[in-house]
Amino acid sequence: GSAEGPVQRLANPRVKYLKNPEPSGGYPSVVRNIGWPLATGKFVHFLDDDDLVMEGYYGAVGKAFASHPSVGMVFGRIEPFGNGPADQLEDERRYFDDAAKKAAASNRFGRRLAFAGRMLFDKALLVCSASVIRRECLAQLGGFDPLIRLKEDADYHVRAMRECGVIFINDTAIRYRIGSPSLMHSPDKTEEQKRAERLGHRQMQAKYRERHGAIEFYGIALFTRTVLKIV
């Protein structure tokens, strides 16, 4: 059935159900961009309905923002879980453990370029549910790019990292539910999905190069594939 009934019946008056007046076409960016402008708090968290926030994470995020008032985004570690095959879940754990190590190493090189380089030329360090952003930073970015079908969250995070700065805290942020097959890391992706992912990545890179120039773009590529690879 529709989610509208259960959501509207919730006793908490802070929960509001929004129905998209137009089909989103399967673009998560469209739906998220409907919701975030209505936020009134200082921080915004795009939490998927099947992910679980770890106890104490919001407190850790609040301390990180307070200690670094010029930084616009904070994210933490990701712990995958799910009912799929054990080998798939183990692969996902290895992926996110490696992502956390790379994020921690990026902390040593400032708050912007090393993180952006990882996302542009190495691997996605996080999923949407793991990050919390200052509302003014999100407004500066204009939210998500509705033209990107897949990799829209990577594009959003790259722009937030470069424009507003980011901190990785080495605490588990969320338990991230893994489907079977995994949308991110499935070994049996359809050709359409592969094309959409390649297109999204090219769009993300092209936007960065256009905004920040070829010198920075290729300089970050070299830095990521040499110094950060060694680190």
Side-chain angles (χ1 to χ4, degrees):
S2 169
E4 183 172 358
V7 172
Q8 289 182 333
R9 289 196 297 270
L10 285 172
N12 190 338
R14 298 175 63 189
V15 177
K16 180 183 293 186
Y17 174 81
L18 299 175
K19 187 173 183 179
N20 187 5
E22 300 291 338
S24 69
Y27 285 49
S29 302
V30 174
V31 178
R32 291 168 181 156
N33 284 345
I34 292 174
W36 75 258
L38 301 179
T40 57
K42 294 181 179 180
F43 308 103
V44 178
H45 184 198
F46 292 100
L47 179 65
D48 288 350
D49 60 356
D50 55 351
D51 295 338
L52 306 173
V53 179
M54 299 298 289
E55 184 176 354
Y57 180 57
Y58 287 138
V61 166
K63 290 179 181 178
F65 277 129
S67 300
H68 300 84
S70 64
V71 165
M73 176 177 281
V74 173
F75 73 99
R77 298 178 66 98
I78 297 161
E79 179 186 312
F81 76 104
N83 298 322
D87 57 344
Q88 177 198 359
L89 192 57
E90 185 58 32
D91 285 343
E92 298 286 351
R93 288 189 178 122
R94 282 194 293 267
Y95 178 94
F96 287 113
D97 282 346
D98 181 62
K101 292 175 183 176
K102 291 183 175 182
S106 298
N107 265 342
R108 298 162 52 186
F109 296 93
R111 302 300 174 204
R112 299 174 187 261
L113 298 185
F115 286 99
R118 293 283 195 193
M119 298 289 291
L120 287 166
F121 303 108
D122 188 358
K123 68 187 299 181
L125 298 177
L126 70 161
V127 296
C128 235
S129 293
S131 66
V132 179
I133 191 170
R134 293 187 193 271
R135 194 188 188 285
E136 62 263 31
C137 175
L138 182 55
Q140 176 183 336
L141 300 175
F144 291 78
D145 187 340
L147 299 180
I148 297 182
R149 173 66 179 86
L150 290 179
K151 301 283 188 177
E152 85 292 337
D153 54 343
D155 169 76
Y156 158 72
H157 284 127
V158 165
R159 291 185 291 119
M161 291 167 173
R162 176 60 178 82
E163 301 295 337
C164 306
V166 63
I167 290 176
F168 170 73
I169 53 178
N170 207 8
D171 296 323
T172 302
I174 59 162
R175 298 191 70 214
Y176 175 59
R177 186 181 295 277
I178 300 297
S180 184
S182 166
L183 178 61
M184 284 183 64
H185 307 134
S186 172
D188 301 315
K189 294 178 182 179
T190 65
E191 286 303 315
E192 180 180 358
Q193 183 179 345
K194 291 177 182 177
R195 284 194 297 269
E197 288 184 352
R198 289 194 296 266
L199 175 61
H201 200 81
R202 288 196 300 268
Q203 288 173 305
M204 174 179 69
Q205 290 185 332
K207 286 171 58 179
Y208 192 102
R209 185 170 59 247
E210 180 179 357
R211 179 168 178 79
H212 300 291
I215 293 177
E216 178 174 311
F217 180 81
Y218 291 110
I220 291 177
L222 179 62
F223 177 72
T224 303
R225 292 165 177 165
T226 56
V227 176
L228 291 183
K229 184 176 181 179
I230 296 171
V231 173

